Amino acid sequence: MSYQVLARKWRPRTFRDLVGQEHVLKALVNALDHDRLHHAYLFTGTRGVGKTTIARILAKCLNCETGVSSEPCGQCAACVEIAENRFVDLIEVDAASRTKVEDTRELLENVQYAPTRGRYKVYLIDEVHMLSTHSFNALLKTLEEPPPHVKFLLATTDPQRLPVTILSRCLQFNLKNMTPELVTGHLQHVLETEMVPFEESALWQLGRAADGSMRDALSLTDQAIAFGSGKVVEADVRAMLGTIDRSAVYDMVVALTAGDGKQVLDAVAQMAEHAPDFASALADILSILHRVAIAQALPEAVDNSHGDREQILQLAQQLPAEDVQLFYQTGLIGRRDLPLAPDPRAGLEMVLLRMLAFRPQGVADVPTRPLAAGSPNAAHGAGTQPVSTATPEPTATSQGQAPATEPPPAAESTPAPVPEPPAAEPNPAPVDESAPAAQDASAHAANSANEYSPDYSSDDEGPQAAAEYEQMAGQASTYDQSPPEPAAEPAAASPVEVPWQTDEPAPPPEPAPPEAAAPVAQEPAAASAPELTSAPEPIVMVSLSDTTPMRWPEIYLGLNVGGVMRNTAGNCELVGRQENQLHFILDEHNSSLYDESHQQRLADILNEYYGEPVSVVIQPGQIQTETPAQIAARKLSERYEQAVESVKSDPIVQQLVEHFAATLDEGTVEPVDPN
């Protein structure tokens, strides 16, 4: 007897032999057992999922000589003939080869006649979507009201091409693709029964290559048995399918985890020796990253379908969640652009190097130690930046200012003289008005500083800490800068403002006004000196023993934190300390990016800050005090409101509003960043 392929030899004979499709079997079994049969059934699904097989088993159930039931005997003449495809009352039609309306009319000529041997005359029309429009029209009436001895079983892989009139006359069952687990389990049963040696990892390769089709899986298994000389081993299956050795893919992922570009290129070069499909290699990397992300979210959901569950769990512990998401998104875009690369290998290498180039720099395990040492200096730079940016202005307005510390007041004092040109009066009256204006600005700034200080009333360094926080957040506080400004403005007003104002009506008398104004400006200048020196002071580091909930915003300023951890730490509230353990509450309204691994990463950052080991406990919940992120948001809002008020009070703007009925679009007002 000739050899029978596995796909035909292992075709299910009864519903119990079927693998998967339980949702379809349950409906059919109940209908058969309770005698609630429809006259037309439509089975849809991709190739090899059991459409025709279920239709033939249903025909066997309808015509079994023992009676209509969900379990045909398989021994009677009707069951045997249906299994051997020679039952006279089972008319199986391939619609792809009989698409004309004449073929359909010929098929329906004998519908009214009773079955020859069976209980029902069953019409099994495969690939029914291939019928022409006229054929569907000819079938409609018979399909809607067939004789009681006729059953229609339709099968198609493309139900969207069927007319709605056909769909409405049938009971439709959508068959699902087979999962790799189902396919692998069935292949294992088949090979054990056939007594063929196999490796389980090879069956997983076949199960994934089948792409949801059991028939394709059995056909590939036949090919693997022939390729492996009677046995199924992973190496032979991989060579037969042309797939890439998974260990080479893992080498690339491990190199990405380590952030080692040389190791990444070496792994690609080693894989290139076997002439692989680089697009498939990138797809395998994405598959691994997907499973790593699942392991980080729900470790118990990771299956062993690839035989690498332990490796996935290990990578999930080593690779931060931010890196996984970035690598996956970069790989998706790179896979789309891979056909555009001049060379597939170069395209893959560029995708992997891009993953490393754009790796988040705020993660604790990324080497950012030099930034930690330079953070105080950065604060100095932020404090002295206005000096360097303002130096050109004083040189243009002042004529004899030598000290380097004088230009900042000159730059800060420019808002005071600006409102006065609209007056355009050569009299000394504007000069007299400028002094009260400067004093009012000084008083307003001082009041603003006093209003801010209660937020950190437990700390004398509160305003400075708030300013440093603003600098690190990219939103420098005007309240911190305002205390130095009012004291410095009068100092600049004596040598700079008065000559500037007297320069308009008469340039020659410039030397005389400075002498008159000098006594007035000397006292504030003396007061401004210590404030100018105190503004650029570095952040004061808080020791672990001095750590209290009220000092958490100040501690946050000295942390070298960025990326997602910046969001987590900025929205945390320190609620207590027990020896070396810090307890935080994370604002539940800003905890969507929180991950349990953030506890250890924040602990690592605090270890570097304190210089001694600490542990961290973070619990999402409701906060009771302002977090550093809320302080930054409040300061930005206050800066915006102050900027709007400053624009509204500008004399030029007031004249435009008064004389031209102009309106101020407050949405376009942006506070000036002092940095």
Side-chain angles (χ1 to χ4, degrees):
M1 183 177 178
S2 60
Y3 173 74
Q4 190 175 19
V5 298
L6 294 178
R8 295 185 61 186
K9 182 178 180 181
W10 285 89
R11 170 169 279 181
R13 309 290 180 177
T14 64
F15 286 139
R16 289 178 298 180
D17 298 335
L18 280 169
V19 178
Q21 315 302 348
E22 288 81 5
H23 64 294
V24 176
L25 300 184
K26 183 178 181 180
L28 294 178
V29 168
N30 291 338
L32 289 167
D33 292 341
H34 296 87
D35 196 19
R36 300 183 63 89
L37 297 173
H38 201 269
H39 60 269
Y41 293 88
L42 173 64
F43 302 101
T44 64
T46 58
R47 77 282 179 272
V49 294
K51 301 183 298 296
T52 307
T53 298
I54 291 178
R56 289 178 179 175
I57 296 175
L58 181 57
K60 191 184 297 185
C61 294
L62 293 173
N63 288 289
C64 181
E65 294 179 0
T66 61
V68 178
S69 68
S70 60
E71 296 183 2
C73 66
Q75 304 296 327
C76 64
C79 292
V80 173
E81 291 176 7
I82 292 175
E84 295 176 356
N85 295 329
R86 55 186 181 86
F87 188 62
V88 66
D89 290 323
L90 175 60
I91 299 97
E92 190 167 346
V93 180
D94 180 18
S97 59
R98 304 187 64 179
T99 61
K100 297 181 179 179
V101 64
E102 292 81 5
D103 298 328
T104 304
R105 289 173 180 170
E106 180 182 353
L107 180 68
L108 299 177
E109 283 180 356
N110 298 323
V111 168
Q112 68 272 20
Y113 299 115
T116 303
R117 294 187 52 188
R119 187 178 295 106
Y120 292 97
K121 182 179 289 187
V122 181
Y123 287 87
L124 175 54
I125 306 178
D126 203 1
E127 300 299 333
V128 68
H129 66 273
M130 298 296 292
L131 292 178
S132 64
T133 304
H134 295 296
S135 298
F136 281 125
N137 293 334
L139 185 63
L140 280 179
K141 191 60 179 178
T142 306
L143 188 63
E144 183 179 5
E145 297 178 357
H149 58 267
V150 173
K151 300 292 181 185
F152 284 97
L153 306 180
L154 313 180
T156 177
T157 57
D158 193 2
Q160 289 80 13
R161 294 176 59 182
L162 294 181
V164 178
T165 52
I166 295 292
L167 295 174
S168 65
R169 288 167 167 79
C170 302
L171 287 184
Q172 184 174 349
F173 295 95
N174 299 313
L175 278 67
K176 301 176 182 177
N177 284 3
M178 303 290 180
T179 62
E181 291 80 5
L182 283 176
V183 174
T184 302
H186 186 61
L187 292 181
Q188 185 173 355
H189 170 68
V190 169
L191 293 180
E192 287 176 351
T193 306
E194 295 286 335
M195 293 184 293
V196 176
F198 66 89
E199 293 180 357
E200 185 177 355
S201 56
L203 300 187
W204 281 109
Q205 293 273 353
L206 296 173
R208 289 191 297 272
D211 195 19
S213 171
M214 187 65 75
R215 182 174 61 232
D216 289 1
L218 291 170
S219 299
L220 289 173
T221 303
D222 256 331
Q223 183 180 355
I225 294 173
F227 190 90
S229 300
K231 57 184 179 180
V232 180
V233 295
E234 183 181 7
D236 292 339
V237 171
R238 187 183 297 113
M240 180 191 75
L241 298 175
T243 55
I244 302 169
D245 187 359
R246 203 141 182 101
S247 61
V249 179
Y250 271 104
D251 290 342
M252 289 185 283
V253 177
V254 170
L256 289 174
T257 304
D260 190 344
K262 181 180 182 302
Q263 187 178 352
V264 169
L265 296 180
D266 290 343
V268 175
Q270 183 177 0
M271 182 185 67
E273 296 177 357
H274 304 282
D277 182 359
F278 292 98
S280 298
L282 185 54
D284 289 343
I285 293 176
L286 294 177
S287 175
I288 292 175
L289 292 174
H290 166 250
R291 301 186 69 211
V292 168
I294 292 178
Q296 291 176 341
L298 194 64
E300 57 270 19
V302 180
D303 55 27
N304 198 30
S305 59
H306 297 70
D308 56 356
R309 187 174 188 274
E310 295 301 325
Q311 289 176 288
I312 292 294
L313 294 178
Q314 184 177 2
L315 283 173
Q317 296 176 353
Q318 298 175 353
L319 196 59
E322 295 88 347
D323 290 6
V324 175
Q325 297 298 328
L326 177 65
F327 291 170
Y328 189 85
Q329 187 65 24
T330 305
L332 281 182
I333 298 175
R335 191 181 183 193
R336 179 196 65 189
D337 298 339
L338 197 61
L340 303 178
D343 176 59
R345 175 179 174 179
L348 175 62
E349 291 177 342
M350 284 301 296
V351 171
L352 298 177
L353 293 178
R354 192 180 305 133
M355 293 178 181
L356 295 180
F358 290 96
R359 190 175 188 180
Q361 296 300 311
V363 183
D365 57 349
V366 175
T368 54
R369 303 304 182 211
L371 296 178
S375 58
N377 296 334
H380 270 291
T384 55
Q385 211 169 8
V387 178
S388 60
T389 56
T391 46
E393 251 182 82
T395 54
T397 56
S398 60
Q399 299 177 358
Q401 303 296 330
T405 56
E406 295 289 342
E412 298 294 334
S413 65
T414 52
V418 169
E420 296 184 5
E425 295 182 4
N427 300 327
V431 181
D432 299 333
E433 292 175 0
S434 64
Q439 294 175 1
D440 292 342
S442 172
H444 173 69
N447 293 335
S448 301
N450 294 334
E451 291 175 2
Y452 167 73
S453 59
D455 291 342
Y456 295 91
S457 56
S458 62
D459 237 288
D460 292 335
E461 299 164 356
Q464 179 190 350
E468 297 294 345
Y469 171 77
E470 301 273 356
Q471 293 171 3
M472 293 187 64
Q475 302 169 351
S477 171
T478 57
Y479 288 97
D480 173 60
Q481 308 252 341
S482 58
E485 291 174 8
E489 281 179 1
S494 60
V496 179
E497 271 190 347
V498 177
W500 182 83
Q501 294 170 355
T502 55
D503 188 23
E504 288 185 354
E510 285 183 8
E515 295 177 0
V520 180
Q522 283 175 358
E523 293 180 1
S528 65
E531 292 187 12
L532 283 176
T533 56
S534 62
E537 284 184 2
I539 299 173
V540 177
M541 309 299 283
V542 180
S543 63
L544 182 59
S545 59
D546 295 335
T547 298
T548 61
M550 293 299 295
R551 305 196 72 175
W552 166 239
E554 182 180 353
I555 296 171
Y556 176 81
L557 305 179
L559 300 181
N560 180 27
V561 60
V564 176
M565 278 305 303
R566 180 173 182 171
N567 177 76
T568 299
N571 287 286
C572 276
E573 171 194 11
L574 179 62
V575 295
R577 176 178 66 89
Q578 295 179 353
E579 296 181 354
N580 283 30
Q581 187 177 66
L582 301 178
H583 295 266
F584 291 92
I585 296 295
L586 175 61
D587 186 2
E588 59 185 6
H589 301 295
N590 295 279
S591 60
S592 58
L593 300 178
Y594 174 68
D595 184 79
E596 291 185 358
S597 62
H598 290 185
Q599 292 188 157
Q600 182 58 43
R601 289 160 59 184
L602 181 57
D604 295 339
I605 296 173
L606 291 173
N607 290 345
E608 180 184 350
Y609 177 85
Y610 289 119
E612 55 181 304
V614 297
S615 60
V616 169
V617 176
I618 301 178
Q619 294 181 347
Q622 294 184 354
I623 58 175
Q624 303 298 327
T625 61
E626 275 190 318
T627 62
Q630 291 176 338
I631 294 175
R634 175 171 58 82
K635 303 306 291 181
L636 179 61
S637 177
E638 292 174 352
R639 287 178 53 211
Y640 170 75
E641 293 176 359
Q642 185 181 9
V644 171
E645 291 300 324
S646 175
V647 174
K648 286 183 178 180
S649 61
D650 185 272
I652 297 178
V653 175
Q654 292 178 353
Q655 289 183 5
L656 292 174
V657 173
E658 180 180 356
H659 296 291
F660 299 100
T663 57
L664 175 63
D665 185 1
E666 296 184 3
T668 61
V669 177
E670 295 184 3
V672 179
D673 188 355
N675 294 332

